[in-house]
Amino acid sequence: MRRLAREIVCGTACLVLLIGPASPSEPAENRIEALLSRMTLEEKAGQLNLISHEPILDLDSFRRGEVGAVINFNNAGLVAQADRLARSSRLGIPLLVGLDIVHGYRTIFPLPLAMAASFDPGLVRRAAAAQGRESAAIGLNWTFSPMADVARDLRWGRVVEGLGEDPWLTGRLTAAQVEGFRDGGLASTLKHFAGYSAVLGGRDYDATFVAPTELHDLHLPPFRDGIRAGADAVMTALTALNGLPTTADSTLMTGLLRRQMGFPGLVVADWQAVASLVKHGVAHDGAEAARKALMAGVDMDMTSGLFLRHLPEEVRAGRVPESAVDAAVRRVLRLKFGLGLFDHPVIAVEGAEEKLLRPETRRLAREAARASLVLLQNRGDLLPIDPARVRRIAVIGPFADSAWDQVGPHEGAGQEWDAVTILAGLRERAAASGVAVDFAPGCPRVCDSRAGFSEAVAAAAGADLVVAVMGEPRDRSGEGSSSAYLSWPGLQHDLLAAVAGAGKPVALVVIGGRPTILGDAPAQAQAVLMAWIAGTEGGPALAETLFGDADPSGRLPVSWPRTVGQLPLTYDALPGGRPHSPGSRWTMGYADESPLPLFPFGYGLSYTRFAYGEPEIVTPRVGVGDRYEAVLEVRAPVTNYGTRAGRAVAQLYIGQPVAGRSRPRRLLRGVALLDLASGETGTATFRVPARDLGYHEPDGTLVVEAGAYLAHVGGDSLATRSAGFTVETGWRGPPGSDEARR
């Protein structure tokens, strides 16, 4: 890094260098072909080579044209110097500069799973745009997000990067992120293709086995939505799907992704995924790994260096056609031209920092954090806090004042000193209402000692309300953090029991990237609020919600288990021949626990109450032809019968009671967000394309069957208001088609 910082680079003339023999007014394809015709094999391989910023860095590799993209060049100075070096090469081709912008660059937003709790694509798009603008300010032009993997097993650490267990919701929010990153100036990457989240036992990097029908119905729809939204790149999975590593699977990467799904953009291997083909046991050495990856459809090698090292010789030896290398280089150059990199100067270092942590970005991060909060329990309407009754609050727990845990994993350039902690947020908001706040953490982050228990109990005894902040630390979430147990680390449950024993009402705030096993906590706390890992503005967002300045509107994007032994646990499981019947031994279930979730998918309370009326099927006869409607429309009245304004998150679920194959009883197919005043009735309107009523055959054929269907409307996946409709004519769509056909 020190050598890079000292490197003497060319002057301002380099900043406006025109690349290639063609003028900027020429079509991009002409300029691409002109560049390609001048490239040596080594320069072509260089465009397919993505390197990381490491302590030992060969700076001359940039000048030799051996680097097409970089990762972990994480500030404006490093980005500018690296790009200038690349532009000083023989052909002067600028760099793709990438980073995992998972939930922000410097201003940290809630993690994606928490953002999914908003059920709000518009908010997700605005958040991604803000993250993109901050990233672009320091020279990034490519993000390795969003993660379109449908997260079905909470043991998997990367569940926090995804958007929940439902493919429909994941698809809508994936598309919103793609659009938002584009708004903010970043190219996006859908990851990880495909089936990555289905790892055995929830163990990151383990094998995946996915039936073809499940692949098409569950894992591919969010990628289709992201591609329709204009995703620029797709990343391979690190795993083997049905015995073949995805990075070497031409049927998957070329046949399915490119031909069936019509993806025209760049395919990048995940970190060291090309080299991992040797460890997977499908390549003898690096040369074979590079050959198999390229021929499978991978355009860019991330950090292994094997494309650069071996592809030129593989071409010269006749084992790889040069046309395959050229096709990959074209896709890299198209992305660079599409981003305008050839015609824009190198990023200006001066003033870059001033574009970070802007007040408007922090306000949006706070809005996002508020929208992510899920109120799970509120016995006796303990919340919101009423300053007329609550004059002293005891804040207890190891995560109340832990800024680094609040920033969370995958933090970009986020810093703990930028974050406003829960304790700080509560103190500021409480002071505005004349409420005193005492703080006694009770135990350290690892909660391996009872030394602070007595102080915490004393604080609780002297307060009118206890706010207990407990859960998982940041290192229990994210890549490489799969867990066999989902209980809180250390003695936190004992601390909560001790504090509850003081006899004062307890509002439990749960921290973490995913649902955890709550055990006796719901019995010990009157109120339970899931706060996730909320980011830079998490403290004020939580404080405003606890005091009722904002109404909690978040809904669970995953089912909340009672015990880890239930996993994977999702709302859309197949009914089975002997569906669960409470108290009956010979039905689907467990001998020692209910098979039902503690809190269902889509669940969340408000400080007000909503009633859902009977759904109206506006288009009772769906089909093809002039007499039928190709889009199902459903409406339902929603009434706020509480005393406060609030947001109803109305959800539409579709079921097909009798079909050609067993289908889930209900599948989410619509969400309507209604902001209603006390006593107000609004109308939730849902429009569902007929293709979304179907399922896929093993080869990807889309089938929508004629027959009777049910529409369920309510506030979660247990929605009880139902109405029937008929699909008059069936469809069959060829693999890869968007629309079903008769």
Side-chain angles (χ1 to χ4, degrees):
M1 184 184 297
R2 288 191 297 271
R3 183 183 170 194
L4 181 61
R6 294 195 304 266
E7 187 67 24
I8 299 175
V9 296
C10 63
T12 56
C14 289
L15 306 186
V16 293
L17 191 64
L18 295 181
I19 305 303
S23 150
S25 62
E26 287 290 311
E29 287 300 314
N30 292 355
R31 299 176 72 184
I32 289 169
E33 293 306 317
L35 270 175
L36 197 60
S37 69
R38 300 174 62 199
M39 285 184 180
T40 65
L41 274 174
E42 284 71 21
E43 287 170 328
K44 291 177 181 179
Q47 285 303 299
L48 311 183
N49 184 36
L50 188 159
I51 70 167
S52 177
H53 187 275
E54 304 292 345
I56 300 175
L57 190 63
D58 179 8
L59 300 180
D60 287 334
S61 65
F62 291 93
R63 295 192 189 94
R64 292 192 298 265
E66 294 176 355
V67 181
V70 296
I71 185 175
N72 294 328
F73 285 66
N74 204 11
N75 64 60
L78 290 174
V79 170
Q81 290 177 7
D83 196 44
R84 285 182 181 124
L85 286 171
R87 291 174 189 252
S88 71
S89 66
R90 185 177 75 92
L91 296 175
I93 300 175
L95 294 171
L96 289 171
V97 184
L99 194 66
D100 292 82
I101 303 300
V102 175
H103 59 133
Y105 175 71
R106 184 63 183 272
T107 306
I108 304 302
F109 286 67
L111 279 157
L113 187 63
M115 289 293 300
S118 71
F119 278 54
D120 188 346
L123 176 61
V124 169
R125 179 171 180 169
R126 289 191 290 127
Q131 295 164 26
R133 286 191 292 272
E134 275 203 343
S135 303
I138 65 102
L140 299 179
N141 50 47
W142 188 16
T143 176
F144 303 117
S145 295
M147 192 177 88
D149 300 304
V150 181
R152 310 285 279 186
D153 192 332
L154 297 176
R155 294 172 295 181
W156 188 48
R158 301 196 78 169
V159 67
V160 301
E161 290 185 65
L163 298 158
E165 71 183 49
D166 179 73
W168 184 89
L169 181 63
T170 297
R172 297 312 184 272
L173 300 183
T174 293
Q177 284 186 286
V178 167
E179 293 162 349
F181 286 133
R182 182 171 61 243
D183 295 342
L186 294 188
S188 58
T189 307
L190 304 176
K191 62 184 188 185
H192 307 81
F193 199 80
Y196 184 49
S197 59
V199 286
L200 295 174
R203 295 181 295 270
D204 216 350
Y205 318 122
D206 209 326
T208 65
F209 293 91
V210 179
T213 52
E214 182 179 337
L215 184 70
H216 286 281
D217 282 346
L218 177 64
H219 295 282
L220 296 184
F223 286 91
R224 291 187 188 279
D225 289 336
I227 290 169
R228 291 190 190 106
D232 301 283
V234 167
M235 182 182 290
T236 65
L238 290 165
T239 45
L241 174 63
N242 299 331
L244 184 58
T246 66
T247 306
D249 190 343
S250 60
T251 300
L252 181 70
M253 304 309 300
T254 298
L256 182 57
L257 178 63
R258 292 215 183 275
R259 294 176 187 158
Q260 280 197 24
M261 300 176 70
F263 177 65
L266 174 67
V267 172
V268 58
D270 203 346
W271 187 281
Q272 292 281 324
V274 176
S276 294
L277 296 180
V278 176
K279 296 179 181 179
H280 275 291
V282 299
H284 287 93
D285 52 26
E288 185 178 11
R291 180 169 69 250
K292 284 194 168 184
L294 184 83
M295 297 309 294
V298 174
D299 298 316
M300 183 170 280
D301 169 26
M302 184 185 291
T303 69
S304 80
L306 295 181
F307 276 15
L308 179 68
R309 194 175 310 146
H310 296 292
L311 285 183
E313 181 55 33
E314 290 294 300
V315 171
R316 293 186 179 105
R319 289 185 289 268
V320 170
E322 188 169 1
S323 60
V325 175
D326 289 350
V329 174
R330 285 187 184 97
R331 285 188 279 267
V332 173
L333 294 178
R334 283 189 191 111
L335 180 54
K336 292 182 177 184
F337 274 106
L339 289 168
L341 303 184
F342 286 89
D343 305 319
H344 293 158
V346 177
I347 183 71
V349 176
E350 297 77 14
E353 286 290 325
E354 298 172 4
K355 299 176 182 178
L356 309 179
L357 287 170
R358 297 289 295 261
E360 61 270 23
T361 310
R362 296 191 72 133
R363 283 194 296 270
L364 182 56
R366 186 181 299 193
E367 178 186 349
R370 284 196 302 263
S372 74
L373 301 175
V374 184
L375 183 62
L376 299 172
Q377 179 173 287
N378 196 22
R379 291 202 307 269
D381 290 333
L382 178 68
L383 298 177
I385 297 169
D386 181 359
R389 295 185 296 112
V390 175
R391 304 304 302 159
R392 182 172 294 275
I393 298 172
V395 178
I396 310 294
F399 299 112
D401 199 34
S402 182
W404 194 226
D405 289 296
Q406 190 171 304
V407 169
H410 308 291
E411 71 278 10
Q415 304 296 332
E416 59 182 308
W417 53 81
D418 297 332
V420 183
T421 67
I422 292 171
L423 177 63
L426 278 171
R427 278 178 167 160
E428 181 178 0
R429 179 59 185 82
S433 295
V435 177
V437 172
D438 299 321
F439 175 51
C443 62
R445 287 179 69 251
V446 292
C447 206
D448 57 354
S449 169
R450 300 177 187 270
F453 276 29
S454 58
E455 183 183 358
V457 171
D464 302 308
L465 172 69
V466 176
V467 176
V469 187
M470 300 179 179
E472 284 191 319
R474 58 174 277 139
D475 53 7
R476 288 282 292 267
S477 292
E479 186 172 1
S481 299
S482 296
S483 301
Y485 302 96
L486 293 180
S487 53
W488 301 340
L491 302 170
Q492 292 182 80
H493 279 287
D494 292 349
L495 174 60
L496 180 61
V499 168
K504 298 302 175 69
V506 176
L508 171 64
V509 176
V510 181
I511 299 298
R514 56 190 166 185
T516 45
I517 305 307
L518 296 181
D520 294 330
Q524 295 161 341
Q526 285 74 24
V528 180
L529 184 75
M530 181 57 174
W532 312 97
I533 293 175
T536 304
E537 289 290 318
L542 179 69
E544 291 164 357
T545 302
L546 290 177
F547 272 88
D549 305 329
D551 189 68
S553 61
R555 302 296 184 261
L556 289 177
V558 287
S559 302
W560 195 299
R562 301 169 185 270
T563 176
V564 73
Q566 293 176 293
L567 299 176
L569 176 69
T570 60
Y571 83 93
D572 56 355
L574 296 177
R578 294 186 177 183
H580 173 65
S581 178
S584 176
R585 177 178 180 181
W586 309 111
T587 61
M588 190 187 301
Y590 299 102
D592 53 357
E593 182 56 275
S594 168
L596 303 177
L598 182 62
F599 301 108
F601 173 87
Y603 176 83
L605 301 175
S606 170
Y607 292 152
T608 189
R609 289 166 173 79
F610 300 102
Y612 292 84
E614 297 297 331
E616 173 194 3
I617 307 297
V618 181
T619 54
R621 299 178 64 188
V622 179
V624 295
D626 295 339
R627 296 180 298 143
Y628 307 114
E629 297 291 339
V631 175
L632 170 71
E633 183 171 341
V634 181
R635 298 175 189 164
V638 184
T639 300
N640 178 356
Y641 67 94
T643 59
R644 300 169 51 95
R647 167 169 285 191
V649 182
Q651 300 159 45
L652 170 70
Y653 296 84
I654 298 296
Q656 185 182 6
V658 179
R661 79 171 196 220
S662 184
R663 302 196 65 194
R665 287 195 184 97
R666 51 185 64 189
L667 292 166
L668 181 67
R669 288 296 182 264
V671 171
L673 306 177
L674 301 175
D675 295 308
L676 301 174
S678 174
E680 183 181 3
T681 296
T683 299
T685 301
F686 311 93
R687 291 177 59 81
V688 183
R691 66 173 179 266
D692 287 352
L693 304 176
Y695 59 85
H696 291 88
E697 292 182 343
D699 69 348
T701 297
L702 177 63
V703 177
V704 179
E705 295 181 323
Y709 291 72
L710 289 173
H712 312 275
V713 176
D716 56 44
S717 58
L718 302 181
T720 56
R721 300 293 189 178
S722 304
F725 65 95
T726 300
V727 173
E728 298 288 347
T729 59
W731 290 265
R732 291 181 66 84
S737 66
D738 286 342
E739 300 291 343
R741 296 183 177 89
R742 194 183 308 192

